[in-house]
Amino acid sequence: MSHTPPAGAPEPDTLRVSIGGMSCGSCASRVTRALEAVPGVTEASVDLIGEQARVTFEDRADPGAVADAVSSVGFTPVVESVELSIEGMSCGSCASGIERALTRAPGVVSASVNFASERASVDYLALATDRARIEDAIRAAGYGVTAPRALGEEERDEAEDRQRADRARDVQKLRASVMIAAALTLPIVVLDMGAHLVAPLENWLHASIGAQNLFILFFVLATAVQFGPGLRFYKKGAPALLRGAPTMETLVMLGTSAAWGYSVVATLAPGALPAGTAHVYFEASAVIITLVLVGRYLEALAKGRTSEAVRRLIGLQAKTARVERDGREREIPVKEVQPGDVVLVRPGEKIPVDGVVTEGASFVDESMLSGEPLPVDKREGAEVVGGTINQAGSFRFRATKVGADTVLAQIVQMVERAQGAKLPIQALVDRVTLYFVPAVMAAAALTFVLWLIFGPAPALALALVAAIAVLIIACPCAMGLATPTSIMVGTGKAAELGALFRRGEALQTLRAAEVVALDKTGTLTEGRPELTDLVVAEGRDESTVLGLVAAVEAKSEHPIGEAIVRGAERRGVPVPEAEDFSAEPGRGVTAIVEGERIHIGTERYMSECGVDVGPLAGDRDRLADEGKTPLFAAAGGAFAAAIAVADPIKPSAPAALSALGALGARVAMITGDNSRTAAAIARELGIDEVEAEVLPGGKVEALERLQRGGRVVAMVGDGINDAPALATADVGIAIGTGTDIAIESADVVLMSGDLRGVPNAIALSRATLRNIKQNLFWAFAYNTSLIPVAAGALYPVLGVMLSPMLAAAAMGLSSLCVLTNALRLRRFEPPLAAAARDGEPARAPARGAAHADEALGAVAGGEPALDVKGKVA
């Protein structure tokens, strides 16, 4: 369709978007129809060969709507992302202004600007715009932009050093400005305020120096403050005002300029003012600038502490690596290590990159990943992670992941993305801060007019004081810092505790989790079955029977068979050779061992083989009630033994589930076990709800059942078949020892397999949200209560006006209170911190669980879910 805009209509806006997944003309037609249905689109054409579309809007283009339309018909709009460091922001209004400028830029799908971390995250259509144009949009808004720190890139060290040096230089400049402003302001305060407080001093000053000469001295000192240290407010505030996007600098600039300008007229041309109104406020303008600079200096110091977690993570990275090149050992910068290089590690050294041990052995401190203080044994074939610390031994390993692909680099990126995220609770704040500064300017103007009309004499002087106080006391900084500073500190603390928030939004959702659903195999349990019980028939020797059973199971590759073989080896039982092995899928296995036919399987399989298990029927029921997998063995056609295999419960599970209950969350277990077995585990661990007999593909349906009634459900899992459920849950929590697919589907990643991280993450989420609400309450309460006071609301009742100098002090303290409160999260103590620190995992009684029918395949090479803990008989 086409459309010609009428004369005087806005110019049409055209977007180009790259589209993936189209394979035929029908695909192109579907995309075309979807694009034409987007509101405001006047023309849409799709190029199948070039895999792109051209979309014309009647007015301003909507890249987000275009991307959604393409996705809605099953194709992929090529959206690229970029993160940029922003320079020059001073308050939440600045961040909102940059966001607005970015979202209006052609081709930008979405943009998020974090004031606390001074970073912008931008998603854009690849063909519609590029990074250079996005940077230009930021610069056009009046701010600087640089590339963010990128761990693993060649210029990482230089960029990090440069960024650290820039921030240190900015802090030093602020400190110098504070010192200069204070030195120039102090004489004004002493001479002016001192004269008002001490009458003899005032008489002496007027007699020896003269009032007019004092005013000239104040003029010189205040002017030096105004256009020396205070010049920064003009450099940023004036351009922002001219762009129609005033900021905190604009408020300070207008307030101090009004006080200074009025005082200049009162000093140099007092006749131009109404009689009785020629008062000077040089002390107000100078003190305001000094106090605002002091606040900014303290704020800069505090903001630097909010990102300490990321700096500590980056500090774990080794600077150099010792590699074998051309038959010689060479020490090179870690950024030059390539995949496939053989790296040498000596005692006490940091492991520079990720890899696999090829020679030697040692113990490695991996506490930065798992939180566990005990070193981990590393031998040939073991994986090592960059940033961990080698202890006693030396070894060689082959580098597999370097630069931005290492585990440490991924952790840093995850933490930084979470720190830069905006929670849903931030939406209201963003709307308020966007219009806050213009609203304050309007309130100051209204205050001035009302005082001028209705105020007592001298009305002009009182109107000026009230208007300046309103401009100065308003603090969008506190509102802008309230959420992001808490997020930065909270996610940083979480990283220290081994919980990585891949999506910042999960920080808010997790605190509301009513149900925590856990997959059993590999999450609640170790994921590796063990032999737990062996009950032999009367007259049979235990070791002999175990050897016969192990001989048959040695031919099976199933985990249950491996568990039986391991059990025999641990007891030192010799395992003879088996012949004529065969498996009956879903029932059992058989083989000839030492001339005797051995059958192993379920009760039904025994019955088919003509073997009566009646003598041990009681043991069968007991084992099943204990949540173990019962199997039976026959030798030479006669019943020989009842066997139980179970998957041990993780030592951390009982304490973790108990802590979840203490936090008020219900615990649910999703398992493929039958109801009887699942109930046994639930009784043992105190689990509230059980979804039993769930097939691997049915976990999503089980999770949706748990979500009925609008309950917020967090899902904890580790396997590939957990990924859909993790994505469906309100919050998906992946065990860091699990599969990459599970981790990619999750919102939160626990770096170790320790389940204590789940209640710790929930408790930290609640503490962070509580901290955010405290900050927001303070910021909003401060502004809504003190702006009316600054406007003179107390004057009719108490006859007092708020001094602009006190307003400046209050404004600085407001931001500092928010930052200080956020930094309290660094002292957060998780519910299970002591056990984690001491390396003393909670112990649980041995229990086991497995679906008896699933056990049929255990001996036959099937795929059962065998998961429970048990004592080895």
Side-chain angles (χ1 to χ4, degrees):
M1 70 183 175
S2 62
H3 175 72
T4 303
E11 285 295 317
D13 204 350
T14 301
L15 281 180
R16 284 197 307 150
V17 54
S18 182
I19 301 172
M22 295 190 298
S23 59
C24 62
S26 176
C27 300
S29 298
R30 288 169 59 197
V31 174
T32 301
R33 286 195 298 271
L35 292 173
E36 288 176 342
V38 174
V41 170
T42 59
E43 184 176 1
S45 60
V46 177
D47 178 2
L48 176 62
I49 304 300
E51 295 186 309
Q52 60 180 269
R54 184 180 179 89
V55 188
T56 302
F57 282 77
E58 187 174 11
D59 194 354
R60 193 164 69 88
D62 187 348
V66 169
D68 290 342
V70 174
S71 300
S72 70
V73 289
F75 301 97
T76 307
V78 179
V79 177
E80 296 188 359
S81 301
V82 64
E83 289 203 1
L84 301 168
S85 293
I86 308 295
E87 299 173 347
M89 290 193 295
S90 60
C91 63
S93 295
C94 300
S96 298
I98 297 171
E99 255 183 33
R100 182 168 55 178
L102 286 171
T103 52
R104 289 179 175 178
V108 172
V109 175
S110 64
S112 174
V113 180
N114 188 304
F115 170 46
S117 62
E118 299 177 335
R119 293 167 71 90
S121 299
V122 187
D123 295 333
Y124 62 93
L125 296 176
L127 292 179
T129 188
D130 54 28
R131 173 173 170 158
R133 292 177 185 174
I134 291 171
E135 292 181 0
D136 288 343
I138 296 173
R139 293 189 182 97
Y143 301 89
V145 57
T146 59
R149 171 178 57 249
L151 185 67
E153 296 179 357
E154 288 188 5
E155 67 276 10
R156 181 206 60 211
D157 294 333
E158 294 83 352
E160 170 64 17
D161 292 341
R162 186 165 56 251
Q163 190 175 54
R164 189 183 298 112
D166 288 344
R167 291 197 172 184
R169 187 163 53 249
D170 289 342
V171 171
Q172 288 303 315
K173 284 183 179 178
L174 266 174
R175 185 173 182 274
S177 295
V178 168
M179 299 298 290
I180 294 169
L184 294 170
T185 301
L186 186 61
I188 303 177
V189 173
V190 171
L191 295 176
D192 186 46
M193 303 300 292
H196 284 88
L197 296 174
V198 183
L201 176 61
E202 181 180 18
N203 295 333
W204 179 82
L205 288 172
H206 285 179
S208 58
I209 300 176
Q212 186 62 22
N213 290 333
L214 274 177
F215 293 163
I216 295 294
L217 174 62
F218 294 164
F219 163 70
V220 172
L221 294 173
T223 301
V225 174
Q226 192 78 22
F227 300 104
L231 188 61
R232 65 174 60 227
F233 299 111
Y234 287 89
K235 287 181 176 179
K236 294 181 180 179
L241 183 61
L242 294 175
R243 288 193 305 271
T247 64
M248 188 68 204
E249 267 82 3
T250 308
L251 296 182
V252 176
M253 177 192 73
L254 292 175
T256 58
S257 295
W260 177 84
Y262 185 90
S263 301
V264 170
V265 174
T267 299
L268 304 181
L273 299 173
T277 62
H279 303 290
V280 295
Y281 298 98
F282 287 123
E283 83 288 351
S285 66
V287 169
I288 287 170
I289 288 174
T290 302
L291 289 176
V292 171
L293 289 174
V294 169
R296 290 283 171 85
Y297 175 64
L298 295 176
E299 182 180 313
L301 293 177
K303 280 173 69 176
R305 293 168 62 194
T306 62
S307 56
E308 279 186 3
V310 171
R311 284 201 297 273
R312 280 198 295 269
L313 284 171
I314 293 172
L316 295 173
Q317 176 68 52
K319 299 297 182 185
T320 61
R322 192 176 294 102
V323 302
E324 288 185 350
R325 293 259 178 98
D326 303 323
R328 294 187 302 115
E329 292 185 13
R330 297 174 54 193
E331 188 166 319
I332 62 174
V334 71
K335 65 187 179 185
E336 295 180 8
V337 177
Q338 300 294 322
D341 279 344
V342 175
V343 184
L344 289 76
V345 184
R346 295 173 179 171
E349 292 182 340
K350 285 183 181 178
I351 296 172
V353 295
D354 298 357
V356 177
V357 177
T358 58
E359 181 183 337
S362 182
F363 285 89
V364 175
D365 179 0
E366 293 188 340
S367 58
M368 74 98 168
L369 285 177
S370 64
E372 294 294 340
L374 297 178
V376 181
D377 186 16
K378 298 292 182 181
R379 299 181 180 277
E380 186 174 343
E383 293 185 350
V384 290
V385 176
T388 55
I389 301 173
N390 182 33
Q391 300 215 318
S394 299
F395 61 89
R396 285 174 167 80
F397 72 93
R398 187 172 303 280
T400 56
K401 293 181 180 179
V402 301
D405 295 328
T406 63
V407 170
L408 180 58
Q410 296 297 319
I411 291 173
V412 171
Q413 290 174 18
M414 242 185 268
V415 173
E416 288 187 330
R417 276 199 301 269
Q419 289 187 337
K422 286 202 172 182
L423 306 193
I425 198 173
Q426 178 73 11
L428 173 64
V429 182
D430 288 344
R431 288 197 295 272
V432 172
T433 54
L434 184 61
Y435 302 105
F436 182 79
V437 174
V440 169
M441 292 171 62
L446 180 62
T447 298
F448 183 83
V449 171
L450 291 176
W451 272 96
L452 201 58
I453 296 174
F454 301 108
L460 179 60
L462 292 174
L464 182 68
V465 169
I468 293 172
V470 169
L471 287 171
I472 299 303
I473 204 167
C475 188
C477 299
M479 290 187 290
L481 289 168
T483 300
T485 50
S486 295
I487 293 173
M488 289 180 71
V489 180
T491 52
K493 183 66 179 179
E496 292 177 12
L497 296 174
L500 301 178
F501 284 82
R502 295 187 66 247
R503 297 177 181 88
E505 297 81 359
L507 194 62
Q508 179 169 341
T509 310
L510 185 59
R511 70 90 168 75
E514 301 168 74
V515 179
V516 178
L518 299 104
D519 172 60
K520 185 170 66 63
T521 307
T523 302
L524 277 173
T525 66
E526 298 286 3
R528 176 172 167 162
E530 297 291 346
L531 176 65
T532 60
D533 295 83
L534 177 64
V535 182
V536 297
E538 187 176 351
R540 292 278 187 177
D541 178 69
E542 183 178 290
S543 296
T544 303
V545 171
L546 181 57
L548 295 173
V549 171
V552 178
E553 290 294 359
K555 298 291 185 178
S556 169
E557 296 180 353
H558 193 274
I560 286 186
E562 294 174 358
I564 294 174
V565 173
R566 284 196 305 271
E569 290 174 347
R570 273 200 300 267
R571 298 184 184 190
V573 174
V575 179
E577 280 295 317
E579 301 173 345
D580 192 24
F581 174 85
S582 66
E584 295 288 337
R587 303 209 302 276
V589 293
T590 181
I592 295 176
V593 183
E594 296 181 341
E596 194 171 24
R597 172 64 66 175
I598 308 297
H599 294 87
I600 308 168
T602 64
E603 184 175 359
R604 185 173 61 181
Y605 181 58
M606 292 292 106
S607 178
E608 292 174 358
C609 296
V611 178
D612 180 19
V613 300
L616 289 183
D619 290 287
R620 172 200 61 198
D621 295 337
R622 173 181 61 81
L623 294 173
D625 286 339
E626 290 176 355
K628 300 175 183 179
T629 300
L631 303 173
F632 301 94
F639 178 74
I643 307 162
V645 176
D647 186 2
I649 290 174
K650 288 183 176 179
S652 60
L657 300 189
S658 176
L660 287 172
L663 289 171
R666 292 182 64 80
V667 179
M669 179 178 67
I670 299 178
T671 177
D673 297 340
N674 61 22
S675 299
R676 184 178 185 179
T677 301
I681 304 172
R683 284 194 303 271
E684 182 66 34
L685 292 177
I687 292 171
D688 303 300
E689 302 179 36
V690 176
E691 290 284 339
E693 300 182 33
V694 177
L695 298 175
K699 291 184 180 180
V700 170
E701 290 77 8
L703 195 72
E704 289 172 345
R705 287 194 293 272
L706 292 172
Q707 289 175 319
R708 286 174 185 167
R711 296 196 300 181
V712 178
V713 178
M715 170 73 185
V716 186
D718 72 325
I720 291 175
N721 61 1
D722 294 327
L726 290 172
T728 302
D730 296 285
V731 180
I733 303 174
I735 302 296
T737 53
T739 64
D740 291 341
I741 293 176
I743 290 172
E744 283 300 314
S745 302
D747 304 298
V748 184
V749 178
L750 303 180
M751 289 306 297
S752 70
D754 195 330
L755 285 176
R756 289 175 298 200
V758 178
N760 288 348
I762 293 176
L764 180 59
S765 170
R766 293 180 179 178
T768 302
L769 264 293
R770 188 163 54 246
N771 190 272
I772 289 173
K773 289 178 180 179
Q774 292 166 353
N775 283 347
L776 289 175
F777 174 80
W778 166 257
F780 279 98
Y782 165 87
N783 282 292
T784 55
S785 61
L786 290 189
I787 287 178
V789 172
L794 296 180
Y795 188 84
V797 181
L798 302 177
V800 295
M801 296 283 290
L802 181 66
S803 165
M805 291 181 288
L806 292 177
M811 185 265 286
L813 286 173
S814 178
S815 295
L816 202 59
C817 285
V818 166
L819 283 163
T820 304
N821 188 52
L823 288 170
R824 287 193 311 112
L825 284 171
R826 295 168 62 191
R827 300 197 300 271
F828 169 80
E829 285 291 338
L832 299 176
R837 275 198 304 268
D838 297 337
E840 298 174 356
R843 297 292 172 187
R847 290 313 259 170
H851 185 184
D853 291 336
E854 292 168 349
L856 305 177
V859 288
E863 294 291 339
L866 298 169
D867 340 311
V868 199
K869 184 165 189 173
K871 286 184 179 178
V872 177

